[in-house]
Amino acid sequence: MRRVELAFFDAGGGHRNAALALHEVLERQEPPWNVSLLNLQELLDPLDIVRRLSGIRLQDAYNILLRHGWTLGSAHLLRVTQFIIRRYHSSAVRLLEDYWSRTRPDLVVSLVPNLNRALRESVCRALPSTPFATVLTDLADYPPHFWIEAERQFLICGTERAVEQARAMGHSTDDIFLTSGMILNPRFYEQPSVSRSVERTRLGMHAELPTGIVSFGSEGSKTILEIAQCLDRSGLELQLILVCGRNDGLASTARRQKWRIPVHIQGFTDAIPRLMHLSDFFIGKPGPGSISEAIHLKLPVIVVRNAWTLPQERYNAKWVREKGVGLVVPSHRQVASAVAELLKPGELARFRARAAELNNRAIFEIPAIFEKILHGEPEKAAVNPEMENVRS
């Protein structure tokens, strides 16, 4: 049985979500794969200088920053983090090399940035014949040393931009694979079992009002409340679903608020597909997972892009504009005017039609790419005949 190891961490939640989705789909294959999940934070805990100094894991410190919106200057913080990673590179390689020697996978797959040099080097040392692949869970790289490293490896990219970046780094087209988008949980491909009007009513909302879903990732953000308050004061006739994630304080504050418009407040949940099915548009930060989920369900997106936006997510706002699937605003204060624009006659339908053109099947394409890599046939890995093959 083919054995694949999926390496992830919990900084932000998107990497774990992508790993779990791949795990689920791979185990459904015929024959099923033997899939293991490696939480890199747990394996590399002995090297975590942040934990030694503060008692808080590096990934948990990152999530605290997201929860409180303390992301101004995050580009500089990223470079500091990368400096620390380089400082402990040799030690990380030794820990990983020992792990691969014990587990002996047939394929190692990274779904994390920053650590791919150590991952690739450790695999080459412990298991020289085992292929190593990186699945970018961002729409594009944020070089240097974020997703794409110069050393040879297989790269699985969800946009033409990421493919161009891989080529510019000198990677062979035989080692680069283009999928039709980001990894989504298989539940996003299931049809809803109840009508939107019935489910909206069950949640205490109006059956027919235009509905926006507001989310800033699994950690939540105070910006959610600020956006909802602006829309509540705007006079627009609409309703909102506020997804507060793990930010219990935010959810409690929102529940105490007196709202003019109908508002449903949701904590951390795995029911995002159902909540998006109830919505007409998405509001949030330009995270690759959230906007890909929304667009797959044909929801136009309104994203906030400014100095507080994480550096690796800034290209995503440009991508939204290029694809014509939503609006980009510089501040939560401009969200109400963007929503008003979106609700003009015919605008929602126009944006929905553009979103429908992006047929994202990446979660089902990637197992076929893995098969080709394992069989040494990368040149035959065109998994979607409707897409242009990235190979010349």
Side-chain angles (χ1 to χ4, degrees):
M1 182 181 293
R2 296 151 300 187
R3 296 190 64 256
V4 60
E5 193 94 30
L6 304 177
F8 73 98
F9 52 34
D10 273 328
H15 310 286
R16 172 186 280 275
N17 292 342
L20 292 175
L22 265 181
H23 182 281
E24 181 177 340
V25 170
L26 288 170
E27 290 204 324
R28 292 181 186 174
Q29 301 293 298
E30 293 293 340
W33 294 49
N34 184 347
V35 186
S36 299
L37 294 168
L38 170 61
N39 187 329
L40 286 170
Q41 176 70 60
E42 294 177 356
L43 182 66
L44 300 178
D45 260 348
L47 308 179
D48 190 340
I49 188 172
V50 174
R51 187 184 187 192
R52 289 206 298 259
L53 294 175
S54 68
I56 301 173
R57 283 174 161 179
L58 178 60
Q59 67 180 23
D60 297 330
Y62 177 81
N63 291 334
I64 290 170
L65 295 180
L66 295 182
R67 192 176 306 144
H68 293 281
W70 298 334
T71 52
L72 185 64
S74 52
H76 300 292
L77 181 60
L78 172 61
R79 298 312 178 199
V80 171
T81 301
Q82 291 175 331
F83 172 80
I84 295 171
I85 289 171
R86 289 195 299 272
R87 172 69 177 78
Y88 290 95
H89 173 78
S90 297
S91 299
V93 169
R94 285 194 294 272
L95 284 172
L96 287 162
E97 185 179 354
D98 178 67
Y99 180 81
W100 307 133
S101 297
R102 289 184 282 108
T103 58
R104 308 196 67 80
D106 298 305
L107 171 65
V108 175
V109 179
S110 167
L111 293 110
V112 300
N114 294 315
L115 294 166
N116 289 316
R117 178 172 164 238
L119 282 164
R120 187 258 182 196
E121 186 175 324
S122 64
V123 172
C124 288
R125 287 187 181 184
L127 305 168
S129 62
T130 294
F132 172 68
T134 297
V135 180
L136 279 70
T137 64
D138 282 302
L139 296 178
D141 193 15
Y142 184 71
H145 306 300
F146 193 66
W147 279 106
I148 303 172
E149 297 285 0
E151 292 81 8
R152 185 180 181 186
Q153 60 190 274
F154 295 102
L155 294 161
I156 300 173
C157 307
T159 65
E160 294 87 350
R161 172 61 179 157
V163 169
E164 291 168 2
Q165 291 175 308
R167 285 174 171 163
M169 284 282 291
H171 289 279
S172 165
T173 54
D174 286 339
D175 297 337
I176 306 169
F177 302 90
L178 174 64
T179 64
S180 53
M182 297 288 99
I183 293 172
L184 303 181
N185 191 286
R187 291 195 303 278
F188 283 93
Y189 298 87
E190 299 172 358
Q191 292 300 313
S193 57
V194 296
S195 72
R196 291 210 305 173
S197 58
V198 169
E199 189 66 6
R200 284 177 177 177
T201 302
R202 189 185 70 81
L203 295 179
M205 307 179 76
H206 193 283
E208 302 300 333
L209 272 180
T211 304
I213 182 168
V214 188
S215 173
F216 273 68
S218 61
E219 297 301 318
S221 168
K222 64 179 182 179
T223 308
I224 293 172
L225 185 61
E226 293 167 350
I227 287 171
Q229 290 168 337
C230 286
L231 289 170
D232 195 53
R233 295 191 299 266
S234 69
L236 293 169
E237 292 302 317
L238 78 162
Q239 57 193 358
L240 297 174
I241 299 171
L242 308 183
V243 183
C244 299
R246 295 184 176 88
N247 196 328
D248 295 336
L250 171 65
S252 297
T253 301
R255 290 189 179 102
R256 291 194 301 269
Q257 179 95 20
K258 291 184 178 180
W259 300 100
R260 175 188 65 85
I261 61 176
V263 174
H264 174 71
I265 297 151
Q266 177 67 57
F268 183 76
T269 179
D270 62 0
I272 296 299
R274 178 177 64 86
L275 295 174
M276 283 192 173
H277 276 297
L278 302 182
S279 306
D280 297 299
F281 55 92
F282 169 87
I283 303 171
K285 70 186 184 77
S290 296
I291 62 176
S292 295
E293 292 164 358
I295 291 167
H296 178 71
L297 296 180
K298 303 180 183 61
L299 303 186
V301 302
I302 297 172
V303 294
V304 179
R305 198 274 196 200
N306 52 33
W308 281 265
T309 302
L310 295 172
Q312 67 269 25
E313 295 182 349
R314 292 172 186 172
Y315 168 78
N316 303 351
K318 180 181 178 182
W319 182 88
V320 165
R321 285 196 182 108
E322 288 175 347
K323 298 299 181 182
V325 292
L327 302 170
V328 181
V329 296
S331 165
H332 69 272
R333 297 179 182 86
Q334 281 76 48
V335 167
S337 59
V339 172
E341 181 72 21
L342 204 60
L343 296 182
K344 288 180 178 179
E347 286 299 286
L348 270 176
R350 183 170 67 87
F351 280 109
R352 286 175 64 87
R354 288 177 180 170
E357 295 173 1
L358 303 177
N359 183 25
N360 180 2
R361 305 284 298 174
I363 186 64
F364 306 112
E365 297 162 358
I366 290 173
I369 293 175
F370 289 171
E371 288 276 10
K372 299 300 182 181
I373 291 173
L374 283 168
H375 287 91
E377 300 173 339
E379 71 280 1
K380 299 178 183 178
V383 297
N384 185 345
E386 297 179 357
M387 290 192 306
E388 180 184 358
N389 194 346
V390 297
R391 290 155 190 78
S392 56

